[in-house]
Amino acid sequence: MDPRRALSFGAQAQAYAAARPTYPVDAVRFVLPVHARRVLDLGAGTGKLTSVLLDLGLDVVAVEPDDEMRAHVDPRAVVLKGTAEDIPVEAGSVDAVVVGQAWHWFDRDAAMASVRRVVRRGGTLGLLWNLLDDSDGWPRELAEHIGMEDRLSFAQTADNSPYDGAPGPWRRQLFHHEQAADPDVVVANMASRSVVIVLPDAERAIRLDRVRELVPSGDFALPWVTDAWVSHFS
Ligand SMILES: C[S@@+](CC[C@H](N)C(=O)[O-])C[C@H]1O[C@@H](n2cnc3c(N)ncnc32)[C@H](O)[C@@H]1O
């Protein structure tokens, strides 16, 4: 985990909010216990996952350390400044902790201890990643060009169990979905990636110019796969 990248996203919070995909509702349901009422979105960012949880009728606490990212979170949630390693809610007060696109940025042992403290018996830890479907065509070239880590081909080949110290065995499911996009959306999406944010200005500009050359013109569907993992607390 590179701490400079972990906390880099605020510089591109607007692009993140505008151009990152949401999460399919079935993937979100998959990582929740059936009885879920109050859930906590950890490393909530601009609230992509928070909004899906709210639309399911849940009470949501969104925890995010970065001020610029947190400012975008849907105000229907209880929005708190905080970190995964020191979650700022009472012990045993939520039915699930869910993490979108962020578990890999945490100190996982400390985060797991913190999650164990706040989740009630029978609850879950759910981890979600939106992976670009780089099976073929220009998305594959794009993923190569940017050096994207969250792409489907890596998830299929790597031994990528997200954490060995989970409360119970992991269950995993993949959910295909699409994002309505155009060249501006793809450029903004790539600009919101930590691997691009931390580049020197001139290099970043060259990298993003090349993105525009790689993508088709007009409107198109950008293919994603949500990689969803759930572990239950007994
Ligand atoms: C790639 S973004 C994901 C945002 C959001 N969960 C989503 O699905 O779009 C990663 C987020 O994790 C946050 N983050 C990084 N380190 C963290 C930590 N130790 N505890 C909590 N959040 C952290 C960053 O500030 C950033 O908002």
Side-chain angles (χ1 to χ4, degrees):
M1 193 268 292
D2 174 347
R4 200 166 69 100
R5 284 181 57 191
L7 294 175
S8 68
F9 295 96
Q12 287 291 335
Q14 191 69 48
Y16 196 109
R20 291 289 191 112
T22 183
Y23 297 91
V25 70
D26 287 348
V28 177
R29 281 209 185 94
F30 174 73
V31 300
L32 295 173
V34 281
H35 63 269
R37 298 275 307 269
R38 186 170 191 250
V39 303
L40 189 143
D41 182 4
L42 192 55
T46 61
K48 296 263 163 204
L49 182 52
T50 300
S51 294
V52 181
L53 295 163
L54 287 164
D55 290 345
L56 283 172
L58 297 162
D59 294 334
V60 184
V61 181
V63 174
E64 165 58 43
D66 184 290
D67 296 343
E68 279 79 21
M69 296 293 272
R70 206 174 56 253
H72 290 265
V73 178
D74 190 323
R76 290 179 293 163
V78 174
V79 185
L80 301 176
K81 183 173 182 121
T83 66
E85 297 78 7
D86 188 14
I87 301 173
V89 300
E90 282 178 27
S93 62
V94 297
D95 299 308
V97 168
V98 295
V99 183
Q101 219 84 7
W103 178 254
H104 54 286
W105 296 123
F106 303 162
D107 171 335
R108 281 164 254 198
D109 290 341
M112 193 64 233
S114 185
V115 168
R116 278 184 191 280
R117 189 184 70 79
V118 302
V119 177
R120 297 184 184 118
R121 279 178 84 101
T124 59
L125 170 63
L127 309 181
L128 302 159
W129 281 272
N130 272 328
L131 310 173
L132 183 68
D133 185 346
D134 61 339
S135 308
D136 55 25
W138 64 265
R140 179 187 290 180
E141 265 189 272
L142 176 69
E144 285 293 329
H145 167 66
I146 291 294
M148 278 178 79
E149 291 136 340
D150 38 1
R151 58 172 123 166
L152 183 60
S153 58
F154 280 7
Q156 286 171 330
T157 54
D159 171 17
N160 61 350
S161 167
Y163 185 68
D164 288 340
W170 288 109
R171 286 176 55 223
R172 180 193 198 187
Q173 202 165 311
L174 299 177
F175 298 83
H176 290 258
H177 61 115
E178 291 181 339
Q179 178 187 16
D182 63 20
D184 290 340
V185 168
V186 179
V187 171
N189 184 306
M190 295 303 133
S192 75
R193 294 180 176 274
S194 61
V195 71
V196 173
I197 294 170
V198 298
L199 291 174
D201 290 350
E203 205 178 319
R204 186 183 324 110
I206 292 167
R207 196 74 62 97
L208 293 175
D209 283 349
R210 176 71 185 137
V211 170
R212 209 170 273 284
E213 290 168 9
L214 286 173
V215 301
S217 55
D219 297 334
F220 47 82
L222 197 53
W224 296 98
V225 176
T226 300
D227 194 3
W229 299 76
V230 64
S231 178
H232 288 256
F233 289 83
S234 50

